Amino acid sequence: MNGQQNVIRIDSDICTGCGRCKDVCPVGAVEGVQGTPHSIREDVCVLCGQCVQQCSAFASFYEQHPACIAEKKRERGLFVSEAAPLFAAWHTGDAPRVASRLAEGCHSMVQCAPAVRAAIGEEFGMPAGALTPGRLAAALRRLGFDRVYDTNFAADLTIMEEGSELLQRMEGAGPLPMFTSCCPAWVRYAEQQFPDLLEHLSSCKSPQQMAGAVFKSYGAQLDGVDPRQVFSVAVMPCTCKKAEAQRPGMEHDGVRDVDAVLTTGELAAMLRQAHIDFAALPDEPFDRPLGSYSGAGNIFGLTGGVMEAALRTAYELVTGEPVPCTELVYVRGGEGIRHATLTMDGRTFRVAVVAGLQHVRPLLEAVRAGTCDVNFVEVMCCPQGCISGGGQPKVLLPFQRDEVYAARKAALYRHDAELACRKSHENPQVQALYREFLGEPLGHVSHSLLHTVYGQTR
Amino acid sequence: MQSQLSDFVVADASRCIGCRVCEVACAVAHNATGKEHPVAGNLDSPLLPRLYLVRTPLATAPVQCRHCEDAPCAASCPAGAIRRKDGALVVEEARCVGCKTCMLACPFGAVELVPVYAQGRAVMQTVQTEDGGVCTVSPVMVAVKCDMCTGRQAGPACVQACPCGALRMAAVSDLRRRRCAQAAAGLAKYVTALHPEDGRS
């Protein structure tokens, strides 16, 4: 288990054994006989939370004793006052713990993943696809976070590091194809099922972990505080991110990059608990410098987004000229696997985008057999990327799920199109970070803060 | 005289997997706040479905109102709160006094009494207690039951949500005619097989 807690569970008191979680699990981690409570094989589960999104077996008002419900809420790490129904499949919660740490008055820094701003409005009755970056920043400030930063900044940083790593590998410095390492469920899968191919993974930490590492070094330096005093919180659309934050190697000088991870749903619960009316908040900016971002960083929340962001920068690094068209629609995949090619400086780049872990195995088998001629692969565990993550607002009517995901997707692309800066390497604050602190991509400081070794067990 | 029988939603137990999504969809369809894309976190009340998943060793299926032609619930209601509307039997909650007579009368257990919620809180009433007229509060309870999502454009939410096609509208008005036609076809084969010497096909 790599020292990570079992984030995803099934409550045998509530599970009816319908098996829909089994159908949606991309790795076959759910087992059980039809009609009896199911369970999760911890050694196979990648903690993506798709079962949590799918599950519709709930603790019925007509059947359960209220005292028992309160006990279950405490066990799940929920506020007891939350009105949301308890479903059989659930993820562990951290909102009460984060709320009490904030009440203690620590020096807190928070980051928000791109997909959160395209979905959290749904928790407050706003329509699907409501895009709320400004309200999100305001809401986090109202909760008492001292620095309201953004994972999108670190997404831009990831492109700088990962893009440089790819180009270095293209020159012969490492095995190809190179796989992205942003999605912790995918990394977990690779570690469990294809340990012999781990050298194909980018050594980059994910944006969440890069952000945490930068908060507790450069960010702490800017604020004049001891990194050990910084409480670093991430708000994520993903349940596996909770486990990722606890991974071995996700620390620097004994200081954890990220101390707590909240899902989009948990942040909404914290706001309700604090009686903050999200829909009525004004738009406020994220704090600088670590809250500024490009459109490229923002589309990390979608399948194909990391690839598109990487190619916008890689094209310019290779050819010295801006990419002819910023919108690389041919990598905007949906379900399954998509292949594309891009010619740069006379050389053909072959890329693949995998959406849904169940589609990655044939590609990995081809790598194993030496028959894969792709240079760079993006893998996202969840079907539409992070916007459909296990920690996102849970759509109650299953026949609405596709339209809600489409609306969230459109919102992130809209946000990208609206931003003046749309390429990671053009983010002025990222440029300043390299100038003032990191030096250069893949340099010594970058290496120690922003890269890791996958496959570590402790 | 009414010539058409009321339709109702019926479950096929051989298809039902017991996922309860019909209950979720039903409760959401009747959640008064009318959010366009309801998510688990923004409900203003507990899930209060109007059909009930039943699991027995023999069968798993949701049970709901049959919209009886001579409905015992409506006949027994002292407040006249259960009426016909667009072919369905519907509880007018504003008239309901919570006496539970309809619960007793229903042969299917399809009626339930639930608390009324407004702005995320149960609506309370002041009542006299038997120990000396001291006022206390208790939630206002009303009868609810399947109304076949009357007025919902896409029809009953449970039917739309069921992933197994286990729920459908039982079109009963021509049921006898269809069953008789099937029986006649069956009989024709049987009789022909018994008397081939008749030379009729």
Side-chain angles (χ1 to χ4, degrees):
Chain A
M1 282 295 287
N2 290 351
Q4 296 152 20
Q5 56 170 318
N6 181 22
V7 174
I8 305 293
R9 304 187 205 182
I10 294 177
D11 187 331
S12 58
D13 293 342
I14 301 175
C15 178
T16 60
C18 72
R20 293 207 306 145
C21 51
K22 210 187 227 177
D23 296 341
V24 82
C25 178
V27 293
V30 183
E31 52 188 17
V33 178
Q34 167 75 36
T36 59
H38 285 26
S39 58
I40 296 176
R41 279 187 57 187
E42 288 177 28
D43 58 333
V44 179
C45 176
V46 293
L47 311 177
C48 69
Q50 285 303 302
C51 53
V52 175
Q53 291 291 345
Q54 178 81 332
C55 180
S56 52
F58 64 101
S60 173
F61 177 84
Y62 306 121
E63 289 167 17
Q64 303 280 334
H65 193 271
C68 171
I69 297 292
E71 197 179 303
K72 282 187 187 296
K73 284 181 181 172
R74 273 190 286 271
E75 184 199 355
R76 294 181 179 203
L78 299 170
F79 295 111
V80 174
S81 60
E82 265 294 287
L86 294 183
F87 290 93
W90 57 285
H91 68 74
T92 51
D94 295 278
R97 180 168 68 90
V98 170
S100 61
R101 275 300 300 274
L102 287 177
E104 285 165 16
C106 49
H107 191 82
S108 54
M109 296 187 186
V110 66
Q111 57 169 308
C112 260
V116 176
R117 72 208 65 199
I120 192 167
E122 294 163 27
E123 290 272 347
F124 300 91
M126 298 167 84
L131 185 64
T132 57
R135 284 193 184 97
L136 187 56
L140 291 165
R141 214 161 268 136
R142 301 295 181 279
L143 281 176
F145 285 102
D146 296 306
R147 288 283 172 262
V148 178
Y149 288 148
D150 205 319
T151 315
N152 284 0
F153 174 88
D156 282 336
L157 193 55
T158 303
I159 290 302
M160 299 302 291
E161 294 292 324
E162 204 168 58
S164 304
E165 187 185 356
L166 176 64
L167 296 180
Q168 210 176 55
R169 289 191 188 211
M170 296 284 284
E171 300 303 321
L176 291 172
M178 186 176 91
F179 287 80
T180 55
S181 52
C182 304
C183 170
W186 147 240
V187 168
R188 204 174 157 88
Y189 176 81
E191 286 178 334
Q192 287 170 352
Q193 308 287 330
F194 290 84
D196 53 313
L197 298 183
L198 287 180
E199 60 178 5
H200 286 269
L201 251 64
S202 162
S203 67
C204 286
K205 289 180 180 175
S206 73
Q208 166 180 286
Q209 297 305 129
M210 281 199 187
V214 173
F215 289 178
K216 292 204 184 181
S217 51
Y218 184 63
Q221 196 176 301
L222 289 176
D223 287 354
V225 294
D226 179 353
R228 286 169 206 283
Q229 303 305 316
V230 173
F231 181 50
S232 159
V233 177
V235 184
M236 293 284 141
C238 171
T239 46
C240 192
K241 287 280 172 194
K242 288 175 181 282
E244 184 188 27
Q246 296 175 37
R247 281 182 64 95
M250 294 301 182
E251 59 191 338
H252 188 66
D253 290 340
V255 179
R256 302 297 303 173
D257 296 337
V258 175
D259 297 303
V261 177
L262 300 171
T263 62
T264 309
E266 284 178 275
L267 174 62
M270 276 185 77
L271 295 172
R272 284 191 288 266
Q273 180 78 5
H275 304 292
I276 295 169
D277 183 359
F278 184 83
L281 287 172
D283 286 341
E284 291 180 8
F286 286 93
D287 289 333
R288 287 177 178 254
L290 306 179
S292 78
Y293 57 91
S294 74
N298 177 67
I299 56 174
F300 265 57
L302 300 156
T303 171
V306 181
M307 181 61 69
E308 184 167 346
L311 293 180
R312 286 182 192 174
T313 289
Y315 190 93
E316 198 155 328
L317 290 179
V318 171
T319 65
E321 289 175 14
V323 67
C325 176
T326 312
E327 272 137 19
L328 308 170
V329 288
Y330 48 87
V331 295
R332 295 183 179 181
E335 275 287 337
I337 182 160
R338 175 174 288 215
H339 288 270
T341 55
L342 181 66
T343 304
M344 298 193 265
D345 226 13
R347 293 169 69 187
T348 302
F349 260 50
R350 290 187 177 80
V351 300
V353 174
V354 180
L357 264 192
Q358 65 273 32
H359 303 291
V360 78
R361 182 169 279 274
L363 192 72
L364 291 168
E365 300 286 4
V367 175
R368 230 178 216 168
T371 57
C372 179
D373 65 349
V374 173
N375 303 118
F376 187 35
V377 185
E378 177 202 297
V379 187
M380 290 291 161
C381 172
C382 293
Q384 305 285 327
C386 309
I387 51 116
S388 58
Q392 287 285 67
K394 176 172 169 139
V395 180
L396 285 172
L397 300 174
F399 48 82
Q400 287 189 342
R401 208 167 281 153
D402 287 347
E403 67 181 88
V404 169
Y405 290 172
R408 292 175 187 171
K409 208 169 185 172
L412 283 193
Y413 280 130
R414 195 167 67 240
H415 196 35
D416 165 39
E418 284 166 2
L419 291 168
C421 174
R422 299 185 65 187
K423 294 170 192 164
S424 297
H425 61 282
E426 291 178 354
N427 179 336
Q429 304 298 337
V430 168
Q431 292 169 348
L433 178 70
Y434 277 107
R435 213 167 41 239
E436 293 168 15
F437 186 71
L438 293 175
E440 57 181 346
L442 307 182
H444 174 69
V445 185
S446 288
H447 185 78
S448 65
L449 279 177
L450 310 179
H451 292 256
T452 188
V453 179
Y454 290 106
Q456 290 182 80
T457 52
R458 56 183 168 163
Chain B
M1 190 185 107
Q2 187 188 346
S3 59
Q4 282 238 321
L5 298 175
S6 305
D7 290 343
F8 57 92
V9 176
V10 69
D12 178 348
S14 70
R15 290 185 174 210
C16 177
I17 56 171
C19 67
R20 302 196 100 134
V21 80
C22 53
E23 292 192 330
V24 173
C26 174
V28 167
H30 293 93
N31 185 319
T33 50
K35 293 174 180 99
E36 203 179 336
H37 297 101
V39 296
N42 73 2
L43 292 175
D44 288 339
S45 66
L47 289 174
L48 299 171
R50 297 162 180 216
L51 79 175
Y52 312 98
L53 179 73
V54 179
R55 300 170 73 211
T56 74
L58 288 176
T60 293
V63 168
Q64 58 278 299
C65 175
R66 289 282 181 90
H67 298 272
C68 305
E69 300 308 319
D70 186 10
C73 58
S76 65
C77 177
I82 303 180
R83 301 177 171 211
R84 278 206 188 268
K85 185 182 173 192
D86 301 333
L89 271 175
V90 177
V91 180
E92 289 184 18
E93 291 174 22
R95 289 173 176 263
C96 176
V97 295
C99 72
K100 300 177 279 287
T101 312
C102 52
M103 284 182 87
L104 294 170
C106 176
F108 303 104
V111 186
E112 182 61 90
L113 252 76
V114 300
V116 176
Y117 278 79
Q119 272 121 34
R121 288 166 174 268
V123 177
M124 306 302 277
Q125 64 173 333
T126 305
V127 293
Q128 298 275 309
T129 57
E130 56 186 357
D131 58 345
V134 181
C135 285
T136 183
V137 285
S138 61
V140 173
M141 304 286 282
V142 295
V144 294
K145 62 172 213 57
C146 165
D147 57 3
M148 286 196 292
C149 292
T150 316
R152 188 173 183 272
Q153 215 163 20
C158 56
V159 175
Q160 195 182 8
C162 179
C164 305
L167 285 165
R168 60 190 168 83
M169 292 295 287
V172 292
S173 52
D174 65 343
L175 185 65
R176 185 192 58 77
R177 192 182 53 74
R178 282 187 287 120
R179 282 279 162 85
C180 287
Q182 284 168 358
L187 274 176
K189 280 185 205 162
Y190 177 69
V191 172
T192 308
L194 267 185
H195 306 287
E197 67 280 6
D198 286 1
R200 295 167 61 190
S201 57

